[in-house]
Amino acid sequence: MQLTVFGSSSPQTPPEHLAEAAALGTAIAARGDVLVNGAGGSGCMGAITGACLAAGGRVKGVILRAFHDAGLTHPDIADLHIAETMRERKRLLGHQTDAYLVLPGGPGTWEEFWEVAVERQVGTHERPLILINHQGFYDGFLAQSRRAHAEGFFYGAVEELFAVVPDAAAALALLHHDDAPEPSCS
């Protein structure tokens, strides 16, 4: 499978989230899946890329030229695409992907997540979208989504747009249909 993973690129990402990103990268490589991400060298992006490559996996990176020119690209990505605009970057991140996974992150990660969720909602695609709620990072996000649904601003139940899992192992188990607990929105 080709898996697009969104997550932080901040060098201030807490160590526990870096460890979870690295665990996901290692697991992606072990399963023979291909990691596609924003090619950043720090934060969750750097951790997942480094771990995937260290475990012998394949990584396709897509980075904005401005970030690449600023020296923010992970140095070990061989399959690198440099996009001129954010729109082009997001198109390339989703090109031929089989699923989207979302690690902890900030506004850029959230924007990528919501774009994919809205595309699912309007029927542009049906690829899985999985939110990795590591250590409850997205609890507030989920509460707001449920409130928006309850008040009529969110069409369809949250569970119809995306799955929520507690960690990387559960995300890959869900995608590969392993015996795993059912995802929840808690």
Side-chain angles (χ1 to χ4, degrees), residues 29-46:
R31 287 184 178 268
D33 294 333
V34 176
L35 168 64
V36 180
N37 75 7
S42 59
C44 287
M45 273 197 278

Side-chain angles (χ1 to χ4, degrees), residues 2-64:
Q2 185 163 291
L3 306 175
T4 296
V5 180
F6 303 130
S8 80
S9 62
S10 171
Q12 298 174 349
T13 301
E16 61 271 16
H17 296 310
L18 297 176
E20 187 64 17
L24 181 57
T26 300
I28 286 171
R31 287 184 178 268
D33 294 333
V34 176
L35 168 64
V36 180
N37 75 7
S42 59
C44 287
M45 273 197 278
I48 191 172
T49 296
C52 187
L53 291 170
R58 267 185 70 208
V59 176
K60 292 182 180 181
V62 182
I63 194 161
L64 190 63

Side-chain angles (χ1 to χ4, degrees), residues 77-97:
I77 298 175
D79 190 352
L80 181 66
H81 303 273
I82 299 174
E84 298 301 324
T85 66
M86 287 299 284
R87 186 174 302 272
E88 177 189 8
R89 179 180 168 270
K90 288 190 284 185
R91 182 185 60 77
L92 291 169
L93 283 168
H95 183 68
Q96 297 180 344
T97 198

